[in-house]
mmCIF file of all heavy atoms in Angstrom:
data_model
loop_
_atom_site.group_PDB
_atom_site.id
_atom_site.type_symbol
_atom_site.label_atom_id
_atom_site.label_comp_id
_atom_site.label_asym_id
_atom_site.label_seq_id
_atom_site.Cartn_x
_atom_site.Cartn_y
_atom_site.Cartn_z
ATOM 1 N N THR N 925 155.810 -48.938 -18.232
ATOM 2 C CA THR N 925 154.645 -49.814 -18.101
ATOM 3 C C THR N 925 154.994 -51.293 -18.147
ATOM 4 O O THR N 925 154.097 -52.117 -18.115
ATOM 5 C CB THR N 925 153.628 -49.503 -19.212
ATOM 6 O OG1 THR N 925 154.257 -49.711 -20.488
ATOM 7 C CG2 THR N 925 153.134 -48.073 -19.123
ATOM 8 N N ASP N 926 156.288 -51.641 -18.242
ATOM 9 C CA ASP N 926 156.662 -53.059 -18.299
ATOM 10 C C ASP N 926 156.321 -53.756 -16.989
ATOM 11 O O ASP N 926 156.393 -53.165 -15.908
ATOM 12 C CB ASP N 926 158.157 -53.211 -18.581
ATOM 13 C CG ASP N 926 158.490 -52.934 -20.038
ATOM 14 O OD1 ASP N 926 157.580 -52.502 -20.770
ATOM 15 O OD2 ASP N 926 159.644 -53.132 -20.433
ATOM 16 N N GLU N 927 155.966 -55.040 -17.107
ATOM 17 C CA GLU N 927 155.650 -55.847 -15.934
ATOM 18 C C GLU N 927 156.703 -56.909 -15.659
ATOM 19 O O GLU N 927 156.689 -57.518 -14.600
ATOM 20 C CB GLU N 927 154.284 -56.518 -16.123
ATOM 21 C CG GLU N 927 153.135 -55.508 -16.230
ATOM 22 C CD GLU N 927 151.799 -56.182 -16.398
ATOM 23 O OE1 GLU N 927 151.777 -57.436 -16.497
ATOM 24 O OE2 GLU N 927 150.773 -55.478 -16.430
ATOM 25 N N GLU N 928 157.602 -57.155 -16.607
ATOM 26 C CA GLU N 928 158.666 -58.144 -16.429
ATOM 27 C C GLU N 928 159.995 -57.532 -16.878
ATOM 28 O O GLU N 928 160.027 -56.800 -17.873
ATOM 29 C CB GLU N 928 158.372 -59.406 -17.237
ATOM 30 C CG GLU N 928 157.151 -60.165 -16.756
ATOM 31 C CD GLU N 928 156.934 -61.447 -17.532
ATOM 32 O OE1 GLU N 928 157.764 -61.717 -18.438
ATOM 33 O OE2 GLU N 928 155.973 -62.160 -17.254
ATOM 34 N N PRO N 929 161.083 -57.840 -16.182
ATOM 35 C CA PRO N 929 162.396 -57.308 -16.590
ATOM 36 C C PRO N 929 162.818 -57.863 -17.939
ATOM 37 O O PRO N 929 162.548 -59.027 -18.256
ATOM 38 C CB PRO N 929 163.333 -57.786 -15.479
ATOM 39 C CG PRO N 929 162.452 -58.187 -14.356
ATOM 40 C CD PRO N 929 161.166 -58.626 -14.951
ATOM 41 N N HIS N 930 163.500 -57.047 -18.751
ATOM 42 C CA HIS N 930 163.936 -57.499 -20.062
ATOM 43 C C HIS N 930 165.434 -57.820 -20.100
ATOM 44 O O HIS N 930 165.940 -58.211 -21.146
ATOM 45 C CB HIS N 930 163.615 -56.443 -21.137
ATOM 46 C CG HIS N 930 164.452 -55.201 -21.044
ATOM 47 N ND1 HIS N 930 164.064 -54.132 -20.291
ATOM 48 C CD2 HIS N 930 165.658 -54.874 -21.574
ATOM 49 C CE1 HIS N 930 164.991 -53.185 -20.385
ATOM 50 N NE2 HIS N 930 165.965 -53.610 -21.149
ATOM 51 N N ASP N 931 166.137 -57.661 -18.978
ATOM 52 C CA ASP N 931 167.538 -58.093 -18.932
ATOM 53 C C ASP N 931 167.907 -58.440 -17.489
ATOM 54 O O ASP N 931 167.171 -58.153 -16.547
ATOM 55 C CB ASP N 931 168.480 -57.037 -19.526
ATOM 56 C CG ASP N 931 168.424 -55.718 -18.779
ATOM 57 O OD1 ASP N 931 168.416 -55.736 -17.542
ATOM 58 O OD2 ASP N 931 168.389 -54.667 -19.429
ATOM 59 N N ARG N 932 169.065 -59.069 -17.343
ATOM 60 C CA ARG N 932 169.490 -59.543 -16.023
ATOM 61 C C ARG N 932 169.863 -58.399 -15.091
ATOM 62 O O ARG N 932 169.767 -58.537 -13.864
ATOM 63 C CB ARG N 932 170.677 -60.483 -16.181
ATOM 64 C CG ARG N 932 170.350 -61.756 -16.939
ATOM 65 C CD ARG N 932 171.565 -62.651 -17.035
ATOM 66 N NE ARG N 932 171.262 -63.895 -17.757
ATOM 67 C CZ ARG N 932 172.150 -64.833 -18.018
ATOM 68 N NH1 ARG N 932 173.407 -64.674 -17.609
ATOM 69 N NH2 ARG N 932 171.804 -65.919 -18.672
ATOM 70 N N ALA N 933 170.315 -57.289 -15.654
ATOM 71 C CA ALA N 933 170.717 -56.168 -14.811
ATOM 72 C C ALA N 933 169.541 -55.637 -14.003
ATOM 73 O O ALA N 933 169.702 -55.211 -12.854
ATOM 74 C CB ALA N 933 171.314 -55.063 -15.678
ATOM 75 N N ILE N 934 168.345 -55.647 -14.589
ATOM 76 C CA ILE N 934 167.167 -55.187 -13.842
ATOM 77 C C ILE N 934 166.874 -56.120 -12.682
ATOM 78 O O ILE N 934 166.518 -55.680 -11.583
ATOM 79 C CB ILE N 934 165.958 -55.075 -14.793
ATOM 80 C CG1 ILE N 934 166.245 -54.065 -15.896
ATOM 81 C CG2 ILE N 934 164.713 -54.656 -14.020
ATOM 82 C CD1 ILE N 934 165.152 -53.946 -16.924
ATOM 83 N N TRP N 935 167.032 -57.438 -12.903
ATOM 84 C CA TRP N 935 166.861 -58.386 -11.802
ATOM 85 C C TRP N 935 167.855 -58.085 -10.681
ATOM 86 O O TRP N 935 167.503 -58.120 -9.501
ATOM 87 C CB TRP N 935 167.059 -59.820 -12.303
ATOM 88 C CG TRP N 935 165.870 -60.417 -12.988
ATOM 89 C CD1 TRP N 935 165.753 -60.777 -14.293
ATOM 90 C CD2 TRP N 935 164.611 -60.721 -12.370
ATOM 91 N NE1 TRP N 935 164.499 -61.284 -14.544
ATOM 92 C CE2 TRP N 935 163.781 -61.265 -13.375
ATOM 93 C CE3 TRP N 935 164.105 -60.583 -11.082
ATOM 94 C CZ2 TRP N 935 162.474 -61.676 -13.139
ATOM 95 C CZ3 TRP N 935 162.797 -60.986 -10.836
ATOM 96 C CH2 TRP N 935 161.999 -61.519 -11.840
ATOM 97 N N ARG N 936 169.110 -57.788 -11.049
ATOM 98 C CA ARG N 936 170.121 -57.461 -10.049
ATOM 99 C C ARG N 936 169.724 -56.223 -9.262
ATOM 100 O O ARG N 936 169.875 -56.173 -8.035
ATOM 101 C CB ARG N 936 171.467 -57.244 -10.727
ATOM 102 C CG ARG N 936 172.111 -58.501 -11.282
ATOM 103 C CD ARG N 936 173.369 -58.177 -12.048
ATOM 104 N NE ARG N 936 174.262 -57.348 -11.268
ATOM 105 C CZ ARG N 936 174.963 -56.325 -11.766
ATOM 106 N NH1 ARG N 936 174.856 -56.000 -13.033
ATOM 107 N NH2 ARG N 936 175.757 -55.632 -10.992
ATOM 108 N N ALA N 937 169.221 -55.220 -9.960
ATOM 109 C CA ALA N 937 168.826 -53.988 -9.280
ATOM 110 C C ALA N 937 167.619 -54.210 -8.376
ATOM 111 O O ALA N 937 167.527 -53.630 -7.286
ATOM 112 C CB ALA N 937 168.512 -52.908 -10.316
ATOM 113 N N MET N 938 166.689 -55.066 -8.818
ATOM 114 C CA MET N 938 165.506 -55.347 -7.993
ATOM 115 C C MET N 938 165.860 -56.114 -6.728
ATOM 116 O O MET N 938 165.210 -55.954 -5.684
ATOM 117 C CB MET N 938 164.481 -56.122 -8.827
ATOM 118 C CG MET N 938 163.886 -55.319 -9.978
ATOM 119 S SD MET N 938 162.830 -56.300 -11.079
ATOM 120 C CE MET N 938 161.499 -56.753 -9.969
ATOM 121 N N LEU N 939 166.888 -56.954 -6.812
ATOM 122 C CA LEU N 939 167.302 -57.747 -5.653
ATOM 123 C C LEU N 939 168.346 -57.041 -4.792
ATOM 124 O O LEU N 939 168.672 -57.523 -3.706
ATOM 125 C CB LEU N 939 167.857 -59.097 -6.122
ATOM 126 C CG LEU N 939 166.865 -59.997 -6.886
ATOM 127 C CD1 LEU N 939 167.583 -61.248 -7.389
ATOM 128 C CD2 LEU N 939 165.694 -60.375 -5.994
ATOM 129 N N ALA N 940 168.877 -55.920 -5.268
ATOM 130 C CA ALA N 940 169.930 -55.212 -4.536
ATOM 131 C C ALA N 940 169.372 -54.487 -3.323
ATOM 132 O O ALA N 940 168.238 -54.003 -3.330
ATOM 133 C CB ALA N 940 170.633 -54.223 -5.459
ATOM 134 N N ARG N 941 170.176 -54.408 -2.282
ATOM 135 C CA ARG N 941 169.836 -53.647 -1.072
ATOM 136 C C ARG N 941 170.919 -52.596 -0.889
ATOM 137 O O ARG N 941 171.909 -52.814 -0.200
ATOM 138 C CB ARG N 941 169.748 -54.586 0.142
ATOM 139 C CG ARG N 941 168.645 -55.613 0.053
ATOM 140 C CD ARG N 941 167.276 -54.964 0.121
ATOM 141 N NE ARG N 941 166.197 -55.935 0.043
ATOM 142 C CZ ARG N 941 165.590 -56.276 -1.072
ATOM 143 N NH1 ARG N 941 165.977 -55.725 -2.218
ATOM 144 N NH2 ARG N 941 164.607 -57.147 -1.083
ATOM 145 N N TYR N 942 170.713 -51.473 -1.555
ATOM 146 C CA TYR N 942 171.759 -50.452 -1.593
ATOM 147 C C TYR N 942 171.512 -49.391 -0.531
ATOM 148 O O TYR N 942 170.381 -48.908 -0.356
ATOM 149 C CB TYR N 942 171.798 -49.801 -2.976
ATOM 150 C CG TYR N 942 172.799 -48.684 -3.080
ATOM 151 C CD1 TYR N 942 174.166 -48.945 -3.090
ATOM 152 C CD2 TYR N 942 172.375 -47.361 -3.162
ATOM 153 C CE1 TYR N 942 175.083 -47.922 -3.181
ATOM 154 C CE2 TYR N 942 173.290 -46.330 -3.259
ATOM 155 C CZ TYR N 942 174.642 -46.612 -3.262
ATOM 156 O OH TYR N 942 175.553 -45.594 -3.348
ATOM 157 N N VAL N 943 172.561 -49.040 0.160
ATOM 158 C CA VAL N 943 172.516 -47.968 1.162
ATOM 159 C C VAL N 943 173.464 -46.863 0.698
ATOM 160 O O VAL N 943 174.638 -47.139 0.393
ATOM 161 C CB VAL N 943 172.949 -48.479 2.558
ATOM 162 C CG1 VAL N 943 172.929 -47.341 3.562
ATOM 163 C CG2 VAL N 943 172.043 -49.617 3.006
ATOM 164 N N PRO N 944 173.001 -45.620 0.587
ATOM 165 C CA PRO N 944 173.884 -44.522 0.132
ATOM 166 C C PRO N 944 175.129 -44.409 1.000
ATOM 167 O O PRO N 944 175.123 -44.721 2.200
ATOM 168 C CB PRO N 944 172.982 -43.283 0.264
ATOM 169 C CG PRO N 944 171.590 -43.815 0.169
ATOM 170 C CD PRO N 944 171.622 -45.170 0.825
ATOM 171 N N ASN N 945 176.176 -43.988 0.363
ATOM 172 C CA ASN N 945 177.463 -43.854 1.044
ATOM 173 C C ASN N 945 177.368 -42.812 2.155
ATOM 174 O O ASN N 945 177.097 -41.628 1.911
ATOM 175 C CB ASN N 945 178.539 -43.451 0.028
ATOM 176 C CG ASN N 945 179.929 -43.514 0.616
ATOM 177 O OD1 ASN N 945 180.110 -43.807 1.800
ATOM 178 N ND2 ASN N 945 180.911 -43.238 -0.219
ATOM 179 N N LYS N 946 177.597 -43.247 3.378
ATOM 180 C CA LYS N 946 177.493 -42.332 4.519
ATOM 181 C C LYS N 946 178.709 -41.427 4.645
ATOM 182 O O LYS N 946 178.667 -40.415 5.356
ATOM 183 C CB LYS N 946 177.314 -43.139 5.818
ATOM 184 C CG LYS N 946 176.012 -43.938 5.857
ATOM 185 C CD LYS N 946 175.885 -44.685 7.176
ATOM 186 C CE LYS N 946 174.577 -45.452 7.231
ATOM 187 N NZ LYS N 946 174.423 -46.205 8.513
ATOM 188 N N GLY N 947 179.786 -41.785 3.963
ATOM 189 C CA GLY N 947 180.983 -40.970 4.034
ATOM 190 C C GLY N 947 180.918 -39.715 3.172
ATOM 191 O O GLY N 947 181.796 -38.849 3.291
ATOM 192 N N VAL N 948 179.896 -39.604 2.333
ATOM 193 C CA VAL N 948 179.760 -38.421 1.474
ATOM 194 C C VAL N 948 179.197 -37.269 2.298
ATOM 195 O O VAL N 948 178.165 -37.408 2.963
ATOM 196 C CB VAL N 948 178.855 -38.730 0.266
ATOM 197 C CG1 VAL N 948 178.691 -37.483 -0.593
ATOM 198 C CG2 VAL N 948 179.432 -39.866 -0.546
ATOM 199 N N THR N 949 179.841 -36.137 2.240
ATOM 200 C CA THR N 949 179.392 -34.955 2.978
ATOM 201 C C THR N 949 178.898 -33.895 2.009
ATOM 202 O O THR N 949 179.099 -33.984 0.799
ATOM 203 C CB THR N 949 180.549 -34.390 3.817
ATOM 204 O OG1 THR N 949 181.645 -34.043 2.939
ATOM 205 C CG2 THR N 949 181.036 -35.415 4.831
#
């Protein structure tokens, strides 16, 4: 239910644009 991040790692995750590894079969 939090509305604001409580550490910098959450900010990093919110700004990240992650694409799953396509090399995984």
Side-chain angles (χ1 to χ4, degrees):
T925 60
D926 284 7
E927 297 181 357
E928 294 183 0
H930 70 270
D931 61 44
R932 296 181 180 178
I934 299 177
W935 279 114
R936 289 175 51 220
M938 294 173 64
L939 298 175
R941 296 292 180 266
Y942 177 71
V943 178
N945 189 357
K946 296 181 179 180
V948 178
T949 59

